[in-house]
Amino acid sequence: MSVIYNFKENIKKEELDNVAQNIKMGKVVVFPTETVYGIGADATNKEAVDKIFIAKGRPQDNPLIVHISNIKMLNSIAEDVNDIEKKLIENFWPGPMTIILKSKDILPKNVTAGLKTVGIRMPDNDIALSIIESAGVPIAAPSANVSGRPSGTKLEDVYDELKDKVDIFVDGGSTNIGIESTVLKVEEDNTVRILRPGKISIEDILNLGINAKLDEHIFKDVKEGEKVESPGMKHRHYAPKTKTILLEYNSDDSIMINKVKEYISENTNKKVGIICFEEHENEYQKMGIKCITIAKKNNLMGISKNIFSLLRNIDNLDIDLCIVEGVEKKLIGTAIMNRLIRACEYNIL
Ligand code: TXA
Ligand code: MG
């Protein structure tokens, strides 16, 4: 049986000690970060890490992110950190940046899926930092969800699918950002390659005077047998069972609305739902579509915070098809669109 500790209002010392103790004993714990919930275990304990792969049903070739609470831990697991990497770390940690570095030997092979590199981040969340600090070991933690499902941004969203596989759940309420961290690596020519976009945007990196580019697979499907920089890119992600279509962003509201109107008139036999901006709700209701509003069109943080929870709920809406309104590909909008395009399995309107 798993237990739930409620740290929403405050972190309770005795329970925190218990979480730390359990992690040291090789148990698996679900805990909040500022991005999404993580399912974590002692990154230096092979058997504990195996339990994470089993709980998620995660492919063995997909490496885990290692979470740390101080720079001493960084130096214990990674080496050869160069000046650009140091600058990124100084600016973006604690925070939603996972940096791929050369791995030291102390990590078991399952954490890194046998790669010579390891993805590391220091989360900006007091509960997560306290757990890592109290356990005194780096914590390997992928997003808390069964593989292929949207990541969990509140405990209620993931409890049922993980309750039989996890020892302790730590409830910290809804996560602030709602989308997983930016995964990046610094290439030999000192350019940052963004492998998975997140809250730390390409604009944020360029603003530091560091060259940066998006990996070519961020908005593109990976072909069978194609080589990719990050194993996670190959795997199916976030997609509901209900057919879901991405409506491309346009600054002109009427262009977006008319596309939907046209689609509806060509598909009168289908029960259609739409995850839409507040500004468009009235228009879609007039067309008889089931509307789930997400936030205002320009409120990218509001959209980011709610998107996974809404994607999780699509299959409960009693509809044949769901349209999701896309956002502008700027700042965290790039990350939102990266997740949506996968959730919609590259179906675009
Ligand atoms: O915000 C987050 O990053 C959350 C929270 C819990 O911290 N974690 C998370 O983990 O999203 P996960 O496992 O769902 O995603 C990790 C991604 C995967 O796409 C994986 O392929 C990539 O990071 N990754 C990990 N290590 C890597 C490495 N050495 N080289 C390339 N990509 C790596
Ligand atoms: Mg994940």
Side-chain angles (χ1 to χ4, degrees):
M1 265 300 283
S2 53
V3 292
I4 302 178
Y5 291 152
N6 182 349
F7 286 5
K8 280 190 206 166
E9 301 298 325
N10 56 346
I11 301 171
K12 299 181 187 90
K13 172 85 177 67
E14 220 170 278
E15 294 180 349
L16 176 66
D17 288 346
N18 202 22
V19 172
Q21 207 51 44
N22 271 276
I23 286 174
K24 282 191 272 194
M25 283 166 15
K27 300 281 172 80
V28 177
V29 176
V30 166
F31 62 94
T33 79
E34 80 280 37
T35 55
V36 298
Y37 274 76
I39 172 168
D42 177 354
T44 64
N45 177 338
K46 179 182 177 299
E47 285 72 35
V49 170
D50 272 337
K51 292 182 195 163
I52 298 177
F53 280 91
I54 293 166
K56 279 185 66 95
R58 185 178 178 99
Q60 295 285 339
D61 70 347
N62 198 4
L64 308 183
I65 293 174
V66 177
H67 296 66
I68 58 169
S69 57
N70 59 58
I71 294 297
K72 219 173 126 200
M73 273 186 193
L74 169 70
N75 295 324
S76 74
I77 54 179
E79 55 194 6
D80 301 343
V81 183
N82 71 28
D83 288 346
I84 303 278
E85 289 158 345
K86 281 187 188 143
K87 191 167 174 178
L88 292 165
I89 287 170
E90 274 160 24
N91 279 279
F92 298 132
W93 276 1
M97 174 186 72
T98 296
I99 186 161
I100 309 293
L101 294 168
K102 192 168 163 209
S103 168
K104 279 192 179 163
D105 281 341
I106 77 157
L107 294 174
K109 285 211 163 40
N110 53 358
V111 173
T112 57
L115 299 174
K116 292 193 167 56
T117 54
V118 55
I120 305 176
R121 90 178 191 96
M122 191 188 291
D124 185 15
N125 176 290
D126 286 344
I127 299 175
L129 288 173
S130 308
I131 292 174
I132 306 163
E133 197 64 22
S134 306
V137 288
I139 295 185
S143 51
N145 53 276
V146 165
S147 271
R149 300 269 295 145
S151 302
T153 53
K154 45 183 186 298
L155 199 66
E156 303 85 290
D157 281 353
V158 291
Y159 181 74
D160 278 340
E161 70 192 40
L162 294 174
K163 66 174 186 291
D164 301 326
K165 297 156 183 157
V166 169
D167 300 289
I168 301 178
F169 288 87
V170 177
D171 192 353
S174 289
T175 60
N176 278 334
I177 295 174
I179 280 188
E180 311 90 335
S181 62
T182 306
V183 178
L184 54 80
K185 73 189 280 189
V186 178
E187 308 216 296
E188 264 160 31
D189 65 355
N190 281 339
T191 301
V192 168
R193 179 189 287 261
I194 296 182
L195 303 176
R196 180 179 72 181
K199 168 77 168 57
I200 307 286
S201 61
I202 190 160
E203 292 91 333
D204 292 330
I205 297 164
L206 294 171
N207 278 337
L208 293 180
I210 297 174
N211 280 336
K213 61 182 176 203
L214 294 174
D215 188 274
E216 55 174 330
H217 291 102
I218 279 177
F219 297 117
K220 221 178 74 184
D221 201 0
V222 177
K223 300 275 167 300
E224 188 75 37
E226 197 176 349
K227 193 178 170 312
V228 287
E229 285 283 341
S230 182
M233 292 169 171
K234 286 185 304 208
H235 300 291
R236 186 172 182 271
H237 275 305
Y238 320 118
K241 291 191 190 81
T242 309
K243 180 167 181 182
T244 307
I245 303 179
L246 178 59
L247 172 61
E248 251 179 326
Y249 171 86
N250 200 296
S251 57
D252 183 341
D253 294 287
S254 63
I255 292 182
M256 294 182 83
I257 292 165
N258 283 334
K259 267 196 188 169
V260 174
K261 195 178 260 170
E262 210 173 292
Y263 186 84
I264 296 296
S265 67
E266 288 162 7
N267 292 275
T268 46
N269 56 338
K270 291 197 179 107
K271 257 196 268 175
V272 178
I274 188 160
I275 296 181
C276 69
F277 306 131
E278 287 168 17
E279 296 93 324
H280 295 173
E281 185 182 11
N282 273 343
E283 291 299 323
Y284 295 137
Q285 261 168 356
K286 279 191 237 157
M287 298 177 208
I289 307 178
K290 187 174 234 170
C291 296
I292 299 96
T293 56
I294 180 156
K296 288 216 154 54
K297 193 176 184 184
N298 288 322
N299 178 5
L300 291 177
M301 284 314 295
I303 294 168
S304 157
K305 202 174 156 76
N306 294 319
I307 190 71
F308 279 145
S309 216
L310 295 184
L311 286 176
R312 277 183 168 268
N313 198 37
I314 286 177
D315 291 331
N316 304 326
L317 292 176
D318 184 31
I319 52 177
D320 303 319
L321 185 141
C322 188
I323 298 171
V324 185
E325 292 201 306
V327 300
E328 194 174 0
K329 286 179 187 158
K330 64 167 191 194
L331 303 167
I332 198 173
T334 303
I336 296 169
M337 288 299 279
N338 165 266
R339 306 313 190 268
L340 284 180
I341 213 154
R342 285 176 162 71
C344 296
E345 300 190 284
Y346 307 89
N347 294 309
I348 294 171
L349 191 64

